Amino acid sequence: TGEVDDDSDVLLDRVPTVILRVQKQSGTNTVQIGERVRERLARLRQSLPADVKLVELMASSNFISEAIANVWQTALIGGLLAIAILFLFLRNLPTTLIIGVSIPLSFVITIIAMYFSGLTLNMLSLGGLALGIGMLVDNSIVVIENIFRYRESGVKPSEAARHGTLEMANAVMASTLTTVAVFLPLVLFIR
């Protein structure tokens, strides 16, 4: 539309520089936008004169990607530690494996449900997943301990599973619903 007067000098490695800032719109995925910008910059680099360089100074998408990678790594280590501690206390490999399989299975099912609901992974949703996995492990331990109590008193395995689960169903449901009730207002007001 016209020339703009310089109101500041920008140097990068003592070379005159033009800074272009790309900012995403609210509600868009920062990591995806960062990848798209990098793709466009790669195409643009091919058509520029040899004496013009494009340099990425900072990208918030890099910090987000690193944070998510750290959360995934921490979740994996936490899951393995939870399984090891369960085995240490339960001293029963099949029971530990049941809980050990339920953790990643519930995690994958939740991620699939989030995908089809149009929800994205962010620090809040990952924190919610961590809380949910913790509740899953707690509830599993309560029910399995009750089943063990029935087994130790001589009840057949199928009967012990049925009675032990039914006896703890109300307590587990009350505990889970209490946690949901505490965090529900947070979920409703964030949207």
Side-chain angles (χ1 to χ4, degrees):
T1 59
E3 292 187 21
V4 177
D5 292 333
D6 288 339
D7 56 357
S8 64
D9 293 327
V10 179
L11 299 175
L12 178 64
D13 294 332
R14 297 184 181 160
V15 176
T17 304
V18 175
I19 292 181
L20 173 67
R21 180 180 176 150
V22 178
Q23 194 167 354
K24 73 174 190 79
Q25 290 180 338
S26 178
T28 57
N29 186 310
T30 304
V31 175
Q32 287 177 350
I33 298 298
E35 289 171 4
R36 288 182 192 159
V37 168
R38 282 189 201 90
E39 289 171 6
R40 296 251 173 116
L41 288 177
R43 283 186 276 167
L44 186 59
R45 277 188 183 100
Q46 296 171 356
S47 63
L48 289 174
D51 62 335
V52 176
K53 293 180 186 175
L54 282 175
V55 178
E56 182 181 297
L57 294 178
M58 187 204 70
S60 59
S61 63
N62 293 343
F63 300 117
I64 293 170
S65 295
E66 288 175 17
I68 290 174
N70 286 338
V71 169
W72 284 111
Q73 181 182 11
T74 304
L76 179 65
I77 292 169
L80 292 174
L81 283 173
I83 291 170
I85 291 170
L86 283 171
F87 181 72
L88 181 71
F89 282 99
L90 295 176
R91 292 191 173 99
N92 186 311
L93 186 61
T95 305
T96 303
L97 289 177
I98 290 169
I99 298 173
V101 168
S102 70
I103 293 171
L105 184 65
S106 63
F107 193 76
V108 168
I109 290 170
T110 303
I111 296 293
I112 290 170
M114 287 176 67
Y115 175 78
F116 286 114
S117 299
L119 299 172
T120 59
L121 281 177
N122 54 38
M123 297 309 275
L124 184 65
S125 60
L126 288 172
L129 283 171
L131 180 69
I133 288 173
M135 288 175 52
L136 174 75
V137 171
D138 289 346
N139 293 342
S140 299
I141 291 170
V142 167
V143 171
I144 286 173
E145 277 298 315
N146 202 38
I147 292 170
F148 268 165
R149 187 175 58 82
Y150 274 100
R151 287 284 295 134
E152 287 175 350
S153 66
V155 178
K156 288 192 259 178
S158 60
E159 289 294 312
R162 190 166 63 79
H163 288 300
T165 304
L166 287 174
E167 192 173 284
M168 293 279 94
N170 286 339
V172 166
M173 189 157 321
S175 170
T176 303
L177 290 176
T178 301
T179 304
V180 169
V182 168
F183 289 102
L184 189 60
L186 178 67
V187 173
L188 294 176
F189 291 115
I190 284 184
R191 290 187 174 228

